[in-house]
Amino acid sequence: QVQLVESGGGLVQPGGSLRLSCAASGDAFSSIALAWFRQPLGKEREGIAAIYPPGTSSYLGDLMKGRISISLDKAKNMMYLQMNDLKPEDTAMYYCASAGRTDIWAGPLKLGSYNSWGRGTRVTVSS
């Protein structure tokens, strides 16, 4: 069973940076992919980026491309999302997810591909 716990969110000014962390336990690093999603208040959850264990390959969606990087540290059982040049429209709850089932895999940023989720960490971009 996979357990995921996000951290690193907070209040940041426009143009600032944040690094989100996802502590993964269980078989997370045996999954097809690990990913970051975000959900603005009142809106649908959207995919940001995915990474394929052991971390040599990743997929960045268009949502924040050019301003983010995703990485894994298997020794620490951690996944990271570095976000730069943050904008007010990046304000959202950010979630990490693990895709552990091949029968539901539909692509790296498809919600339905992921069967384990953390509880999220809130990011607020405001001056």
Side-chain angles (χ1 to χ4, degrees), residues 24-80:
S25 62
D27 295 330
F29 280 77
S30 298
S31 62
I32 301 167
L34 297 166
W36 287 97
F37 287 77
R38 76 182 191 188
Q39 187 167 17
L41 189 63
K43 297 185 179 181
E44 295 184 352
R45 197 169 296 190
E46 309 165 288
I48 301 169
I51 190 164
Y52 303 96
T56 53
S57 179
S58 63
Y59 180 87
L60 303 182
D62 292 335
L63 197 59
M64 301 181 75
K65 188 178 285 185
R67 300 188 289 127
I68 59 167
S69 63
I70 186 171
S71 60
L72 290 179
D73 186 335
K74 188 176 182 181
K76 296 181 178 179
N77 289 335
M78 298 291 291
M79 177 174 65
Y80 303 101

Side-chain angles (χ1 to χ4, degrees), residues 81-126:
L81 181 70
Q82 177 67 42
M83 306 186 294
N84 303 316
D85 190 23
L86 285 162
K87 308 176 188 302
E89 52 264 39
D90 296 320
T91 295
M93 187 72 84
Y94 285 71
Y95 299 90
C96 63
S98 169
R101 291 176 50 185
T102 56
D103 61 324
I104 61 172
W105 178 254
L109 295 184
K110 298 293 186 181
L111 275 176
S113 294
Y114 295 87
N115 60 310
S116 296
W117 293 84
R119 293 187 175 184
T121 185
R122 183 169 298 281
V123 172
T124 302
V125 184
S126 176

Side-chain angles (χ1 to χ4, degrees), residues 5 17 105:
V5 180
S17 298
W105 178 254

